[in-house]
Amino acid sequence: MIEDARQTLDRIAEPASVVEDSKRELHRLWQPAHAAAEAEVYLDAPFSEHPVHCKSLLYTSPAGGPQLFVGQDPSALARKLGVQSQLIASHDAMVYPSQIHENLYLTSMGPPGNLLAFANWLKQVSPAAYALWHAQMQSSAHYQSGVAYHFFASGRQFLGYFVALPKTARRVHSAKEIRAFLGTNVYQDPLPIKRLSAQRMDEDYLVRRNLEAEVPDLRGLQVLLVGAGAIGGFIAQNLLQLGAGGSRAPKRVVVETAKILKQAGKKSATRSLALLAENKGMLHICDRDLLSGGNVGRHVLGTQDVGKPKADALCAHLKRLRPGVSVRPIATGFHTLEGELERYDVIIDATGYETFGRHVSKTVRAAGWLRPPHFLLHVWLEGRGGVVRGLAQDDASCACYDCMWSYTAGTEPRPRHPAYSDAKWNAHGDDGYATMTPFSVSAPMAAAALATDALMSWRAGNAAPRFRSRSSEGKGIHPSVAKDLSRAKSCPGCSG
Ligand SMILES: [Zn+2]
């Protein structure tokens, strides 16, 4: 620890390194020495270039330290973090969430400890942020609402301070009174500040933290996941993490809708406009089965859900992970939805059943649903679970599910890309693929990973390769395939 501190001090002694070091480690350096006693701050403010006025709620958990929830709706934020009760209203907050600002950094003066030092520091490191803050400090509304917390964007995080304003602050109205107040409390006898670091909890950050800037997430999409089994369970969790069932940032919807309007026909344009008005994503999970004891060894759900409908239990699980997300179980089976396909942007067939895959593929084509910007994805395990596969369809001209076999008159259809060298391993029972063959939880996880990657490549603007296959290492397993399949000759699924 002492050595660590000495190294830090040595570096700080060199002005040239101060800026770079403190940009990288600002959040650690900003925290007061006894940060453990301070509240953990969680922030959920909308993206804006202007300061956003927020409320705050304080919670002291019996087990941990105090938590402060800051946002326009801090009780919704508290619920998001699993806190429902014993919340106490705290002071108002001003959040300066502009991303036009550069990363803030510390000067050789070290972190500020009072309002004057803070003003001088901010003016030096970010004149733009200083201008916004200064304008607030000149506004009488600021004093009337008793704003005591200030948070500033730095890179992708927020740091700020708390200041206990004297009671006289509420009586500040005129420009003259404001000048006098600032003269006393900032310049003559600067008020001490408590430095705070905030964790972002806004949806944009939670969903996009790990995505490349140009890749759209899944918020705002209408997604149907068919199959809440081992593969579907992991896929559902992945979809949630990528924003499915969440509302989309309005700005992004507008840009994308404009793009879609340009590319697509009138029908989907009308639908896009309806979505723009709604701006709400939805994840429907369709499965008729109950969870059994035999499922839990490779399912995201556990023993407490045995005996419950898989779709219901999976949706409840997702809501625990992300309160407020729009997910809905559909326990009636896919056939009940066949007249309503137009409401979905994305359909994922995660049942793993070959007969069902053929059925879905034919159904969406017959309904005229298979056209941009719609997306259908099948994902399944081959034989003994050593190979996971996915087939994407985003246009009627793509290879269909049946195109994975070759058809010669008078013979049985043969797989065009067999997964195993031993033909017997490719065989499957009447009930679909390999339901009884031993494979561990790693196989459905691999299938869900493949499905997630396929979906996100489509989201990024290129669905290719539409046929994907990943193999585990093992004898007799054919290597991975990644290509766009040509359509099979005389395919019963898509010819004629
Ligand atoms: Zn076909």
Side-chain angles (χ1 to χ4, degrees):
M1 276 301 278
I2 291 169
E3 186 50 32
D4 187 37
R6 182 174 299 133
Q7 281 178 8
T8 304
L9 285 173
D10 286 349
R11 282 204 301 275
I12 288 173
E14 295 173 334
S17 69
V18 167
V19 169
E20 281 316 307
D21 267 15
S22 72
K23 264 186 189 170
R24 202 167 49 242
E25 299 187 55
L26 183 58
H27 286 268
R28 187 175 65 79
L29 297 169
W30 186 259
Q31 293 276 23
H34 304 291
E38 302 298 332
E40 193 70 48
V41 184
Y42 300 98
L43 184 63
D44 183 356
F47 176 85
S48 167
E49 288 177 7
H50 307 288
V52 178
H53 193 144
C54 293
K55 299 277 175 193
S56 77
L57 287 169
L58 192 66
Y59 169 71
T60 305
S61 77
Q67 298 179 322
L68 185 74
F69 306 107
V70 181
Q72 287 182 314
D73 185 354
S75 52
L77 173 58
R79 280 197 301 280
K80 202 188 233 181
L81 282 137
V83 176
Q84 308 258 19
S85 57
Q86 294 173 303
L87 291 157
I88 301 157
S90 186
H91 303 276
D92 282 16
M94 198 56 75
V95 179
Y96 307 82
S98 174
Q99 294 185 0
I100 55 170
H101 299 152
E102 60 275 54
N103 282 359
L104 303 176
Y105 57 91
L106 289 185
T107 64
S108 50
M109 302 285 286
N114 63 46
L115 271 186
L116 180 59
F118 178 82
N120 288 336
W121 168 76
L122 192 61
K123 198 173 191 174
Q124 184 181 344
V125 302
S126 175
Y130 175 79
L132 293 176
W133 175 82
H134 186 256
Q136 285 301 314
M137 301 300 280
Q138 303 293 323
S139 135
S140 59
H142 177 83
Y143 299 97
Q144 258 95 76
S145 54
V147 173
Y149 296 105
H150 293 255
F151 292 99
F152 298 82
S154 173
R156 303 183 71 178
Q157 290 299 329
F158 284 82
L159 46 79
Y161 68 86
F162 167 79
V163 61
L165 292 179
K167 285 205 175 75
T168 53
R170 296 264 183 183
R171 294 197 291 271
V172 166
H173 288 93
S174 68
K176 193 180 164 193
E177 286 165 338
I178 291 171
R179 269 200 305 279
F181 179 85
L182 293 175
T184 308
N185 296 296
V186 178
Y187 296 101
Q188 284 165 25
D189 189 9
L191 292 169
I193 60 169
K194 223 185 257 181
R195 293 188 304 278
L196 298 167
S197 202
Q199 281 192 47
R200 278 179 71 179
M201 289 301 296
D202 55 292
E203 284 301 310
D204 219 40
Y205 180 71
L206 296 180
V207 171
R208 301 207 54 82
R209 160 75 170 72
N210 306 305
L211 292 179
E212 287 179 57
E214 65 274 15
V215 178
D217 53 69
L218 306 181
R219 282 176 293 170
L221 287 180
Q222 314 298 304
V223 181
L224 173 64
L225 172 65
V226 189
I231 300 174
F234 287 112
I235 290 179
Q237 243 180 222
N238 292 2
L239 294 176
L240 195 71
Q241 284 166 319
L242 289 161
S247 297
R248 198 161 13 179
K251 198 171 153 191
R252 193 167 296 129
V253 179
V254 174
V255 173
E256 278 185 27
T257 307
K259 250 193 253 169
I260 292 165
L261 289 176
K262 257 191 203 167
Q263 291 165 358
K266 203 179 167 189
K267 202 170 176 185
S268 55
T270 313
R271 174 162 165 64
S272 303
L273 287 174
L275 269 181
L276 177 63
E278 247 179 40
N279 190 30
K280 250 186 113 152
M282 175 65 87
L283 173 59
H284 286 173
I285 299 177
C286 173
D287 200 308
R288 287 193 296 184
D289 289 349
L290 303 182
L291 191 77
S292 73
N295 294 140
V296 297
R298 52 191 185 200
H299 205 286
V300 289
L301 298 174
T303 50
Q304 293 201 340
D305 289 316
V306 167
K308 292 179 190 161
K310 286 178 182 172
D312 289 4
L314 187 54
C315 285
H317 171 67
L318 298 179
K319 282 181 175 168
R320 273 194 301 275
L321 295 177
R322 290 287 171 87
V325 75
S326 296
V327 292
R328 207 181 93 193
I330 295 176
T332 51
F334 179 74
H335 67 278
T336 62
L337 300 170
E338 289 180 8
E340 307 170 27
L341 295 179
E342 277 303 316
R343 68 190 295 178
Y344 299 111
D345 303 304
V346 174
I347 299 175
I348 301 171
D349 157 27
T351 59
Y353 293 128
E354 186 190 316
T355 39
F356 184 75
R358 289 176 192 269
H359 171 71
V360 174
S361 182
K362 278 183 193 149
T363 303
V364 300
R365 281 168 182 264
W369 178 89
L370 193 63
R371 60 174 200 279
H374 294 165
F375 184 70
L376 169 66
L377 181 67
H378 309 271
V379 58
W380 68 97
L381 308 174
E382 286 276 355
R384 302 186 172 190
V387 177
V388 298
R389 286 193 159 168
L391 180 76
Q393 302 188 53
D394 57 337
D395 200 311
S397 63
C398 295
C400 79
Y401 195 91
D402 288 284
C403 286
M404 291 191 292
W405 286 264
S406 59
Y407 303 90
T408 317
T411 62
E412 279 290 301
R414 285 203 324 273
R416 290 165 70 190
H417 293 280
Y420 303 98
S421 51
D422 186 335
K424 286 201 294 280
W425 291 6
N426 293 311
H428 44 83
D430 294 339
D431 59 344
Y433 276 8
T435 43
M436 291 306 293
T437 45
F439 57 85
S440 83
V441 61
S442 64
M445 285 180 97
L450 179 143
T452 307
D453 290 344
L455 182 62
M456 291 313 280
S457 347
W458 165 73
R459 247 345 236 157
N462 185 3
R466 288 172 177 78
F467 180 60
R468 293 169 191 238
S469 150
R470 289 179 193 166
S471 315
S472 57
E473 309 75 15
K475 258 190 175 174
I477 296 176
H478 286 172
S480 304
V481 189
K483 62 191 289 191
D484 278 351
L485 283 182
S486 58
R487 288 168 71 174
K489 281 187 190 126
S490 339
C491 172
C494 63
S495 326

